[in-house]
Amino acid sequence: MPQQKDIVKIAIQMPGAYPQLIQLDQKKPLTSVIKEVCDGWNLAGPENYALQYADGVQTYITESNRLDIKNGSILRLTKAPGRCAEDLYKGIQSSDSGVRCDSLKQLASVSTDITFAQEFISRDGHTLLVQIVEAGNDSPMILTHTLTGFMELMDHGIVSWENLSTVFIKKIASFVNAKVLDASIQQVSLAILESMVLNSSSLFQQVKQEVTLERLISHLQVSNQQLQTKAMALLMALLQTAGEQDKQELFGFLEKKNLRQYIHKNIIHSSGSVGDEMAHYLYVLQSVRLNLLEPRMRMPLDSFNQEQRDALHGLRQAAFETESESGLSHERRRSLCAKEFKKLGFSNNSNPGQDLSRTPPGLLALDTMSYFASRYPDAYSRFVLENSSREDKHECPFARSSIQLTLILCEILRIGEPPSETGSDYHPIFFSQDRLLEELFCICIQLLNKTWKEMRATQEDFDKVMQVVREQITRTLSSKPTSLELFKNKVNALNYSEILKLRQTERLHQEETLAPPVLELKERLKPELLELIRQQRLNRLCHGTLFRKISSRRRQDKLWYCRLSPNHKVLHYGDVEEETEMPSIEALQDKIPVADIKTLLTGKDCPHMKENKGKQTKEVLDLAFSITYDVEEYSLNFVASSRTDFCLWTDGLNVLLGREMSSECMRSELEILLSMEIKLRLLDLENVPIPDNAPPIPKPPSNFNFCYDFSQAEQ
């Protein structure tokens, strides 16, 4: 007698027949279950049939995934994957073009299922698709279906990308390079080349040789956003996979073609906003480009390197009009240099190279100082001379400040950090400048001098000033300025007094030093406001959120949607298409009863983070969460697209589990609501009658003689 937990109640459909309602015994072999279903419809040859989900992603049911079947699932009796693979294999080779097209179209659809893919590949079906592509004699529609089916088959990782022939690679590249070709063919071809690059280091060189970069850039300049995104994806794959020398060459080529300026003008500036996938690729492009600076950031100054020593002395010579040093004795020259390096703000004026031994920022600090001195010589001289001539202990040390500022900019721009799998936080300003770090430095070092004077700082206040400058930069960059001029105006407007006002406003929301009656009122208000936040979280879960599946095999990760049922009893989820806004509950094929949820895990405790231990960035870890359900053997894994979504979902799930909300968003919102409510309650309304209805609008005045006539004044 099977135990109750091994029984799943399901419905099975078949076209032209009444559905069968059965109790599926999970311990009974699947072949026996299929035989019983076939007997129920008097069908012979049960070995030719299989079960698959009727809704959503129509995955075949196998012994390995049958435990995923839930109560209430609707399955369909269909062709066995082996029989389906055999039929499609024959159909693809048909002399009838209509049969071939239909077979390839169906293949592109069913190849997403790994069980079918294994059967089709075992018959060398993928080789047949390669032959069709290499021949290239078919219609655009047939070719599109062929390439799509091939891409889906390869995505399962059953066949190595290394096995592809040079002829095939050249053919796919020719589709991308063609000036006139069906856009659908070019989109899939770009996706195939991207997967080649990401999955095989040896194929990188072949793809790089075959694909015409001019043509790849031209795909970014079309109105078709899907084609534009696929072209950007391939470009990012090439840049991420390339070695340092190849990266330098690729970026040099892209600069010659003004790609950065084109992106800034036509993708960022004109549209105002970009799609999530394009935002990710812009973030990757920014990250890879800035990371070319990492070697300089990790390299300390070498006092035996003549070029570096010349650059260091160039700073001194650019700031001070010195007499000819050739006629000076060694001691006199050494004394003069030490004096001038001290005026420049070096801590170790006798050996200034020691100041640049710390990594990061290493030689990058010397580069930014040299750039400022040569690019803006007047501003550089003014900064140094103004501070070196002060006698009131309020001088701002240029070198020390520059070294620390360079480090701050490296941290803010995340130089040296690999791009995140899900990152999309790009800076539009990056695409408006050839040398973003250096130009930002030139603005921010002058800002630092201005802030130093506003704070009337001394050397003891150095760390405090740098903290304020960091805040000025991060707050300004968070507003996403699109040009350097806009950044300059905004960051200079955010002076020290403004920073103090912002801090004070934020501090008021966190202030706990209230009078006892107010504290008592605050405690009385908390439960009501927490309930309001709980309801908002549950409403947000009912609305649902789009999540992205993390895949190491290729860039185009699948999307899925998750939402809570209106009665708060079931979580519904399933795969969706890119353009889906908010799918209905019926469209989401999978579900988890809330009563079955056992625990909520976050960060490194999540199963999908443990599987990729050491490969995930801190950003991804901070956005990851999972729920375990049933007997804690199963888990549903999430990676939120933002910290806000992470807070909303973890709070909502905690509410469903009867636990306290704990996110920083909840704490912030509670403080804001408490502050507003307390202020309203503390308004002095004694003897002030508050009407139940809005007061009537008064009649217009009999004349408007009280208005000032500006036209008379102008005359």
Side-chain angles (χ1 to χ4, degrees):
M1 184 75 178
Q3 295 183 18
Q4 191 64 34
K5 67 178 183 179
D6 298 324
I7 299 297
V8 183
K9 296 177 181 179
I10 60 172
I12 301 180
Q13 299 175 340
M14 187 181 75
Y18 289 108
Q20 295 186 39
L21 300 176
I22 70 167
Q23 293 190 357
L24 173 63
D25 183 357
Q26 290 286 32
K27 291 196 172 180
K28 184 182 288 187
L30 206 53
T31 51
S32 301
V33 175
I34 293 171
K35 185 178 185 306
E36 289 176 6
V37 173
C38 288
D39 291 344
W41 280 317
N42 297 318
L43 297 173
E47 67 278 1
N48 292 323
Y49 294 93
L51 295 173
Q52 66 178 183
Y53 289 105
D55 301 319
V57 181
Q58 297 168 1
T59 309
Y60 278 105
I61 305 299
T62 64
E63 291 292 351
S64 61
N65 68 13
R66 63 183 294 175
L67 293 178
D68 295 336
I69 301 173
K70 304 298 177 187
N71 277 317
S73 295
I74 301 175
L75 306 183
R76 180 171 59 206
L77 189 69
T78 186
K79 283 183 186 179
R83 181 181 160 199
C84 182
E86 188 64 37
D87 291 348
L88 289 179
Y89 186 80
K90 291 177 181 177
I92 290 169
Q93 298 178 83
S94 172
S95 56
D96 186 327
S97 61
V99 173
R100 290 184 73 209
C101 187
D102 290 342
S103 298
L104 286 164
K105 183 179 180 181
Q106 188 181 351
L107 175 71
S109 175
V110 298
S111 292
T112 56
D113 185 281
I114 191 168
T115 308
F116 169 83
Q118 289 168 337
E119 292 288 348
F120 191 76
I121 289 172
S122 70
R123 291 165 171 76
D124 271 344
H126 61 294
T127 305
L128 182 60
L129 298 182
V130 169
Q131 291 169 0
I132 294 172
V133 173
E134 288 178 351
N137 300 323
D138 293 284
S139 66
M141 186 176 291
I142 285 180
L143 200 51
T144 300
H145 294 323
T146 303
L147 291 168
T148 305
F150 174 81
M151 184 68 194
E152 294 294 349
L153 289 170
M154 294 298 290
D155 191 39
H156 294 294
I158 301 168
V159 180
S160 172
W161 289 90
E162 302 276 359
N163 297 335
L164 296 175
S165 68
T166 304
V167 176
F168 179 80
I169 297 169
K170 286 178 178 289
K171 195 70 178 179
I172 298 295
S174 71
F175 295 151
V176 172
N177 292 334
K179 291 186 177 179
V180 181
L181 192 67
D182 187 273
S184 299
I185 294 175
Q186 291 188 320
Q187 284 177 37
V188 188
S189 298
L190 285 163
I192 291 172
L193 290 175
E194 182 204 0
S195 289
M196 287 182 189
V197 170
L198 291 176
N199 286 281
S200 169
S201 56
S202 63
L203 290 179
F204 164 78
Q205 290 297 339
Q206 290 188 57
V207 173
K208 181 171 172 272
Q209 288 172 7
E210 296 299 332
V211 175
T212 308
L213 285 176
E214 287 95 338
R215 189 66 190 133
L216 191 57
I217 291 172
S218 71
H219 288 314
L220 293 171
Q221 301 171 351
V222 298
S223 57
N224 185 327
Q225 288 191 355
Q226 287 183 318
L227 185 59
Q228 199 179 61
T229 303
K230 299 295 183 192
M232 181 64 85
L234 176 55
L235 190 58
M236 291 308 98
L238 288 167
L239 285 170
Q240 284 182 278
T241 314
E244 288 305 312
Q245 187 174 349
D246 285 325
K247 277 181 190 173
Q248 294 281 5
E249 290 177 7
L250 282 168
F251 272 113
F253 178 83
L254 296 177
E255 287 298 328
K256 285 181 183 177
K257 295 297 178 181
N258 297 319
L259 176 65
R260 181 182 47 73
Q261 293 92 326
Y262 177 83
I263 289 172
H264 184 257
K265 181 181 178 182
N266 297 289
I267 296 181
I268 296 173
H269 206 63
S270 62
S271 62
S273 63
V274 298
D276 290 344
E277 201 171 351
M278 181 60 82
H280 173 76
Y281 295 134
L282 294 178
Y283 156 80
V284 173
L285 178 60
Q286 168 189 289
S287 179
V288 174
R289 179 66 182 87
L290 288 173
N291 279 346
L292 291 177
L293 299 170
E294 185 180 6
R296 299 286 289 178
M297 184 182 77
R298 305 287 183 199
M299 189 183 301
L301 184 134
D302 179 3
S303 57
F304 295 102
N305 185 301
Q306 189 61 45
E307 184 182 350
Q308 294 173 21
R309 290 179 65 185
D310 289 346
L312 191 58
H313 282 279
L315 291 173
R316 179 180 61 83
Q317 291 161 354
F320 306 106
E321 292 182 8
T322 56
E323 55 190 285
S324 176
E325 298 173 7
S326 57
L328 299 177
S329 66
H330 177 70
E331 286 300 321
R332 173 70 181 139
R333 183 175 180 277
R334 188 173 177 180
S335 173
L336 178 64
C337 289
K339 184 180 178 182
E340 291 179 344
F341 277 126
K342 184 177 181 180
K343 287 183 178 181
L344 270 175
F346 283 94
S347 301
N348 192 332
N349 54 298
S350 60
N351 186 9
Q354 287 291 322
D355 289 31
L356 294 164
S357 62
R358 183 179 59 158
T359 59
L363 286 177
L364 210 51
L366 179 60
D367 295 340
T368 52
M369 287 189 282
S370 298
Y371 183 87
F372 180 47
S374 60
R375 183 83 171 81
Y376 304 100
D378 292 341
Y380 171 69
S381 297
R382 188 163 55 249
F383 185 116
V384 174
L385 296 176
E386 176 186 307
N387 286 286
S388 63
S389 60
R390 297 188 70 163
E391 299 292 340
D392 55 2
K393 297 184 180 180
H394 288 286
E395 68 277 3
C396 176
F398 172 75
R400 184 185 176 193
S401 301
S402 297
I403 293 167
Q404 189 62 26
L405 176 61
T406 305
L407 177 62
I408 288 173
L409 289 173
C410 287
E411 291 171 351
I412 292 173
L413 298 174
R414 297 184 176 182
I415 297 173
E417 291 184 26
S420 158
E421 284 283 336
T422 57
S424 58
D425 187 22
Y426 70 94
H427 297 294
I429 193 175
F430 167 80
F431 297 93
S432 71
Q433 284 298 318
D434 286 330
R435 302 182 70 171
L436 177 66
L437 177 71
E438 291 89 340
E439 289 292 342
L440 279 181
F441 173 85
C442 293
I443 292 172
C444 295
I445 192 65
Q446 296 176 78
L447 168 74
L448 191 153
N449 190 36
K450 173 173 165 283
T451 303
W452 186 282
K453 288 186 284 187
E454 289 170 353
M455 294 176 68
R456 293 195 55 78
T458 63
Q459 293 289 337
E460 288 75 18
D461 301 315
F462 182 82
D463 290 337
K464 187 192 292 186
V465 175
M466 298 312 298
Q467 190 179 3
V468 172
V469 171
R470 179 191 285 271
E471 193 173 337
Q472 289 171 315
I473 298 168
T474 51
R475 286 182 184 273
T476 305
L477 285 176
S478 67
S479 69
K480 302 290 183 185
T482 53
S483 70
L484 205 64
E485 191 62 31
L486 196 56
F487 172 82
K488 182 178 180 179
N489 293 337
K490 284 189 174 185
V491 81
N492 280 299
L494 195 61
N495 54 35
Y496 180 53
S497 61
E498 285 296 316
I499 290 290
L500 289 178
K501 287 178 186 176
L502 288 168
R503 286 179 175 179
Q504 186 178 9
T505 303
E506 291 164 1
R507 198 179 299 120
L508 284 173
H509 292 308
Q510 301 169 353
E511 205 169 62
E512 293 295 338
T513 56
L514 299 171
V518 177
L519 284 172
E520 184 180 340
L521 174 61
K522 190 174 181 181
E523 290 303 314
R524 285 174 54 192
L525 291 171
K526 263 186 183 179
E528 179 184 342
L529 296 176
L530 279 170
E531 183 56 30
L532 185 67
I533 295 173
R534 287 189 197 99
Q535 291 303 317
Q536 187 271 338
R537 297 299 194 258
L538 292 175
N539 290 340
R540 187 66 181 80
L541 265 60
C542 289
H543 180 276
T545 304
L546 194 66
F547 295 94
R548 192 174 293 276
K549 291 183 180 178
I550 303 297
S551 167
S552 59
R553 287 196 296 273
R554 60 172 177 161
R555 177 76 267 134
Q556 292 93 343
D557 299 320
K558 302 288 179 69
L559 298 171
W560 64 290
Y561 202 90
C562 187
R563 60 183 295 191
L564 180 66
S565 62
N567 63 6
H568 302 168
K569 290 185 177 180
V570 181
L571 274 178
H572 297 266
Y573 64 97
D575 293 348
V576 293
E577 297 298 327
E578 178 76 49
E579 62 273 6
T580 305
E581 290 186 4
M582 180 182 161
S584 64
I585 284 178
E586 293 74 20
L588 302 174
Q589 67 275 14
D590 298 310
K591 58 185 178 181
I592 300 172
V594 171
D596 289 351
I597 299 175
K598 302 298 180 186
T599 57
L600 170 65
L601 304 170
T602 59
K604 62 184 179 183
D605 295 326
C606 297
H608 56 317
M609 295 296 106
K610 288 181 179 178
E611 291 171 7
N612 298 293
K613 193 173 182 181
K615 296 181 181 178
Q616 301 293 2
T617 62
K618 185 179 183 300
E619 184 179 353
V620 174
L621 283 171
D622 288 343
L623 298 176
F625 62 98
S626 303
I627 54 173
T628 61
Y629 53 97
D630 286 347
V631 289
E632 299 195 18
E633 292 181 4
Y634 309 112
S635 65
L636 184 62
N637 302 316
F638 304 74
V639 176
S641 60
S642 67
R643 190 66 190 174
T644 302
D645 278 349
F646 174 89
C647 293
L648 291 171
W649 271 85
T650 52
D651 280 347
L653 290 168
N654 275 322
V655 172
L656 290 174
L657 294 171
R659 297 169 188 165
E660 294 294 324
M661 298 179 289
S662 58
S663 74
E664 64 266 24
C665 289
M666 181 279 296
R667 291 192 292 271
S668 172
E669 289 167 19
L670 180 61
E671 284 301 315
I672 292 170
L673 291 171
L674 278 170
S675 176
M676 289 173 60
E677 192 68 24
I678 287 171
K679 286 175 183 176
L680 287 171
R681 297 287 183 101
L682 295 179
L683 281 175
D684 186 9
L685 298 176
E686 189 177 354
N687 300 322
V688 178
I690 301 176
D692 294 328
N693 302 315
I697 300 172
K699 294 179 181 179
S702 58
N703 64 71
F704 293 89
N705 294 336
F706 54 86
C707 293
Y708 186 82
D709 191 351
F710 284 96
S711 62
Q712 296 291 332
E714 288 175 2
Q715 290 174 5

